[in-house]
Amino acid sequence: MPIFMNPFAKHDVADFTDVYVPLADAHRNASVVAQHEEKLEKSHSPDGSGGEAGRKASHNYSAYTIEGLRAEIESDVAASGHDAVYDRKSKIINKAVQDIGMGRYQWELFVLCGFGWLADNLWLQGVALTLPQLTLEFGISATQVRYTTCATFVGLCVGATFWGVASDIIGRRLAFNATLFLAGVFGLAVGGAHSWIATCGLFAGLGVGVGGNLPVDGALFLEFLPFASGNLLTMLSVWWPVGQLIASLIAWGLIPNYSCDPSLTSCAISAPGVTCCRSADNKGWRYFTLTLGALTFFMFVCRFFFFHLYESPKYLLARGRQAEAVATVHGIAYRNKRKTWLTVDILNEIGGHPEVVSHQKLSTGEIIKRKVGSFSGERIAPLFATKRLGITTLLIWFCWATIGMGYPLFNAFLPQYLQNAGKDVPPTPTNIVYRNYAITSIVGVPGSILACYTVDIKYIGRKGTIAVSTLLTGVILFLFTISSKPNYQTTMSSLEAFFQNIMYGVLYAYTPEVFPAPNRGTGVGIASCLNRITGLCAPIVAVYAGGVNPNAPVFAAGGLILAAFVAMCLFPIETRGKQSL
């Protein structure tokens, strides 16, 4: 295998030898075969003598025939509510990927998509870790400097919206690589910012790149993922605390050793001749952002050169390039050392021949219309089809909105809280602040792992795990404000990080499980949108509330988390041990 691969190479079925197997001889997914056998039993007469009609039904419902495959697609299309040529052929692609199963290609993609989740929290924490040093160097107050986080969140919201739509127009592959490229470039540029305004602008540009990671990486991974392995999408959240851990350890090693004394004031606002914090003496935050930028760019290089990402077959179908879509599926089978039955003829036989059906692809306008249509009343209404489901939907959205603001109100400014910025007490030494932040990050990591086990414990499940962890998170936030002693604050912030990661891990798993499959993307998409919007408001609340009382943002964070806890106690659906709707 070559070290560097052409990331934009196009493929043909002929590129992958010894991969095709006729449908009659193929290995089909066990659950699909079981469904066909169940239908076959129903097709026979009660006395068991089906005769010729029974034999015909047996042929029609066999999982190894075109007729049986057609029946599967008809059922899936009826459930989705879309019956265009694209929809039928995309369902066939889904079946082919499901029959190939999990393999090397998906596991490698899991790691590379994990880079996107890692980068998201890497930079969210990275911005937080630079705030005390930006105050020292540029003379910005401890409250006003929080607009830096606001600028980053603006970029995150723009990036999430832009790249989510753009990936449907320019392709997943380009968007997948461009997001980390932009984040890496702007991350490196932040290290050379000459003013606070320039720093905010560069962080906003960085946010545009980072903001696209979650929607693009999640959608891309899901399209290559067999349905039976769908829980792996939730496992991507494990990379989230890893990003915080890496950022905190790098900051601990660099910022305390190359920073001004926190008792000094910026030379930008000091009188001539007074000892002050010079830019030349405060390089730590610049070294830190340069390191994060280099790490992000390295992750881009790994994606772009060391892993050959096949273009999404769904995107290729939408653009009328079905031969390339088939070749992509053959490429996945080749990488996984499996076989596939998919051919262009099967796509045409079930989805429609190009000579007969002229509308074989989606225009750019249709793609955007479908994207926007995901949030139309027609798509949202099924989320309120029953009273029980409607209550669950509203409670889930409420939790994502409150946690979306509560989380950054504390975590995005934690280094400032640990430094006791704005309080009438001496500031905590810089090396202690970043050491304690690193300890907090380390303690938080096992929370995500523990959540994977507790959600399946009898009598606890998803609802019990998320409710208890959220309650403890909210209570600990209030306890954090009792004392300004470094050891006490570290203990509280570490416990908060541990239970908070349990809360987030379960929320990521529970949310898609409670929504019906045909409208799951709409429900999860609105939850994510609310999370980003309220997160954008968090720095503004922190600026104005923190100006009145340094502990006010923490009180607000605790109150929001406890409000989410109350909502979680009212969840009417427990998904432990049950299949998704």
Side-chain angles (χ1 to χ4, degrees), residues 307-558:
F307 174 79
H308 182 67
L309 175 68
Y310 298 112
E311 182 55 271
S312 162
K314 302 286 186 65
Y315 167 77
L316 294 172
L317 276 179
R319 288 306 187 184
R321 295 154 59 182
Q322 68 175 21
E324 292 181 52
V326 172
T328 292
V329 176
H330 280 236
I332 297 171
Y334 183 82
R335 289 281 287 276
N336 289 357
K337 301 187 186 306
R338 308 280 174 80
K339 305 283 187 180
T340 182
W341 45 262
L342 184 67
T343 64
V344 172
D345 290 338
I346 289 179
L347 280 181
N348 291 336
E349 182 70 23
I350 299 176
H353 291 269
E355 307 84 47
V356 179
V357 183
S358 59
H359 198 58
Q360 289 279 319
K361 66 179 183 179
L362 301 177
S363 66
T364 299
E366 288 173 321
I367 291 173
I368 296 176
K369 184 178 179 181
R370 282 190 172 219
K371 200 76 174 181
V372 175
S374 297
F375 303 99
S376 66
E378 181 183 351
R379 300 292 294 170
I380 295 175
L383 299 176
F384 297 88
T386 64
K387 180 179 179 181
R388 188 165 179 252
L389 180 59
I391 292 174
T392 301
T393 299
L394 290 176
L395 292 174
I396 285 284
W397 289 349
F398 177 79
C399 289
W400 277 98
T402 52
I403 292 173
M405 181 179 287
Y407 176 88
L409 271 175
F410 182 72
N411 291 274
F413 311 110
L414 182 55
Q416 288 187 308
Y417 302 146
L418 295 176
Q419 191 187 42
N420 292 315
K423 295 183 180 180
D424 296 328
V425 296
T428 304
T430 303
N431 65 315
I432 300 299
V433 169
Y434 289 95
R435 182 205 66 184
N436 293 350
Y437 190 91
I439 293 172
T440 298
S441 301
I442 293 170
V443 174
V445 172
S448 298
I449 301 172
L450 181 63
C452 297
Y453 293 94
T454 57
V455 293
D456 288 320
I457 296 177
K458 193 175 182 180
Y459 304 121
I460 298 179
R462 270 72 161 163
K463 290 171 57 178
T465 301
I466 196 172
V468 171
S469 60
T470 304
L471 172 63
L472 292 173
T473 299
V475 170
I476 292 169
L477 284 173
F478 283 99
L479 295 177
F480 178 87
T481 63
I482 292 177
S483 173
S484 297
K485 294 181 179 179
N487 290 341
Y488 177 84
Q489 289 184 326
T490 304
T491 301
M492 292 298 105
S493 63
S494 297
L495 289 172
E496 189 274 343
F498 178 80
F499 291 111
Q500 170 189 268
N501 284 340
I502 295 178
M503 173 189 72
Y504 247 126
V506 180
L507 190 60
Y508 270 114
Y510 182 80
T511 300
E513 289 177 340
V514 296
F515 291 129
N519 306 95
R520 184 169 296 144
T522 301
V524 174
I526 292 176
S528 179
C529 180
L530 292 171
N531 185 264
R532 288 295 192 188
I533 291 173
T534 54
L536 175 61
C537 299
I540 301 174
V541 173
V543 169
Y544 288 98
V548 178
N549 182 346
N551 286 326
V554 184
F555 292 145

Side-chain angles (χ1 to χ4, degrees), residues 37 127 174 192 252 275 382 441 458 563:
E37 290 178 349
V127 174
L174 180 57
W252 184 20
T275 302
S441 301
K458 193 175 182 180

Side-chain angles (χ1 to χ4, degrees), residues 82-379:
H82 291 289
D83 192 13
V85 173
Y86 164 80
D87 298 294
R88 289 178 171 272
K89 294 188 175 182
S90 67
K91 300 294 183 186
I92 300 171
I93 295 285
N94 287 346
K95 296 293 182 181
V97 171
Q98 183 176 351
D99 289 341
I100 292 171
M102 278 294 294
R104 175 183 173 185
Y105 182 80
Q106 283 91 349
W107 286 115
E108 290 178 351
L109 191 59
F110 173 78
V111 174
L112 294 177
C113 287
F115 285 170
W117 291 68
L118 185 153
D120 192 285
N121 206 22
L122 180 81
W123 281 108
L124 182 61
Q125 304 305 321
V127 174
L129 288 161
T130 62
L131 296 184
Q133 308 313 312
L134 296 180
T135 295
L136 276 175
E137 182 166 330
F138 298 120
I140 309 299
S141 69
T143 53
Q144 187 180 2
V145 78
R146 292 171 181 172
Y147 281 117
T148 310
T149 305
C150 188
T152 307
F153 268 91
V154 169
L156 289 171
C157 291
V158 171
T161 304
F162 172 77
W163 289 112
V165 176
S167 64
D168 289 337
I169 298 173
I170 64 176
R172 309 280 195 270
R173 183 159 58 178
L174 180 57
F176 181 73
N177 288 303
T179 51
L180 276 187
F181 174 77
L182 283 177
V185 169
F186 278 100
L188 290 169
V190 168
H194 58 81
S195 67
W196 177 60
I197 297 299
T199 303
C200 291
L202 291 171
F203 272 134
L206 182 148
V208 173
V210 172
N213 282 320
L214 299 192
V216 173
D217 295 7
L220 178 74
F221 188 53
L222 185 62
E223 290 178 2
F224 285 107
L225 200 61
F227 177 75
S229 303
N231 287 339
L232 278 178
L233 185 62
T234 302
M235 282 185 62
L236 280 174
S237 63
V238 173
W239 292 90
W240 179 267
V242 175
Q244 177 176 347
L245 176 60
I246 292 173
S248 63
L249 292 176
I250 294 174
W252 184 20
L254 291 175
I255 294 180
N257 295 318
Y258 302 96
S259 297
C260 296
D261 188 307
S263 62
L264 297 177
T265 57
S266 169
C267 290
I269 58 173
S270 299
V274 177
T275 302
C276 57
C277 178
R278 302 182 305 153
S279 177
D281 300 325
N282 198 49
K283 296 287 188 181
W285 74 271
R286 298 181 184 274
Y287 296 152
F288 171 62
T289 54
L290 286 171
T291 303
L292 295 192
L295 177 60
T296 306
F297 201 82
F298 172 74
M299 291 189 289
F300 156 73
V301 169
C302 290
R303 282 184 172 187
F304 197 71
F305 293 111
F306 299 142
F307 174 79
H308 182 67
L309 175 68
Y310 298 112
E311 182 55 271
S312 162
K314 302 286 186 65
Y315 167 77
L316 294 172
L317 276 179
R319 288 306 187 184
R321 295 154 59 182
Q322 68 175 21
E324 292 181 52
V326 172
T328 292
V329 176
H330 280 236
I332 297 171
Y334 183 82
R335 289 281 287 276
N336 289 357
K337 301 187 186 306
R338 308 280 174 80
K339 305 283 187 180
T340 182
W341 45 262
L342 184 67
T343 64
V344 172
D345 290 338
I346 289 179
L347 280 181
N348 291 336
E349 182 70 23
I350 299 176
H353 291 269
E355 307 84 47
V356 179
V357 183
S358 59
H359 198 58
Q360 289 279 319
K361 66 179 183 179
L362 301 177
S363 66
T364 299
E366 288 173 321
I367 291 173
I368 296 176
K369 184 178 179 181
R370 282 190 172 219
K371 200 76 174 181
V372 175
S374 297
F375 303 99
S376 66
E378 181 183 351
R379 300 292 294 170

Side-chain angles (χ1 to χ4, degrees), residues 47-99:
D47 60 358
S49 56
E52 183 62 30
R55 286 190 292 274
K56 184 177 180 181
S58 175
H59 176 69
N60 287 342
Y61 282 116
S62 171
Y64 304 96
T65 64
I66 288 290
E67 291 80 3
L69 183 60
R70 192 194 309 277
E72 294 176 43
I73 303 306
E74 293 287 351
S75 177
D76 288 352
V77 167
S80 70
H82 291 289
D83 192 13
V85 173
Y86 164 80
D87 298 294
R88 289 178 171 272
K89 294 188 175 182
S90 67
K91 300 294 183 186
I92 300 171
I93 295 285
N94 287 346
K95 296 293 182 181
V97 171
Q98 183 176 351
D99 289 341

